Amino acid sequence: MVFQLPALPYWYDALEPIIDSETMHIHHEKHHQAYLNNLNAVLAGTPYETRTIEDLLLKLDHLTGKIYTAVRNHWWWYYNHNLFWTGMTPGGAPLSAEFQQILVDNFGSLEQLQQLFSAAALWQFGSGRAWIVVTDDYGLEIVSTPNQDNPLTDGRRPILGLDVWEHAYYLRYQNRRADYIQWWWSIVDWREVESRYRG
Ligand code: MN3
């Protein structure tokens, strides 16, 4: 195995009742693991097996066929989920005064930020994600991406991402994506988001 499934930084039931334990088990142990297995299976026995993923991504233009598809799709899927898990913490973690000011400077107010982000997550057609991203000039923007895509491919660095694939919420919220998004704000780990921003 080239890449391993990282352990969650909290118990599977720790985000209850916002995200239920069964959803977390299936999402982490089945969905996340499956894409990782697919990536590893394609890389096994090839010269790429011993490369770091950063190296593979830098060489993405030179990869072809199955290797290109595996890295392009499965790696982002894997990477996006790592960001997602570590962007949440039981009960949430509060904003520092400094980072709150940075968010207000960029979005006008915290309410405005949440409205923009929630709308991006809600109106992302089908599967995908909403993000807060850092632009080249250290500004902050809200974007959404379809399927497994990640804003890094457009040069924008994600610091918070919300998974709105149905597997992320369907057991508890069924078709009520808006409710899932609204509740999810209460488990965001703003300390982690700030550290990514400053990263
Ligand atoms: Mn997912």
Side-chain angles (χ1 to χ4, degrees), residues 27 31-32 77 81 84-85 129 163-165 167-168:
H27 200 170
H31 289 281
H32 199 180
W77 221 85
H81 281 94
F84 181 55
W85 308 132
R129 286 177 171 73
D163 188 338
V164 293
W165 286 57
H167 64 234

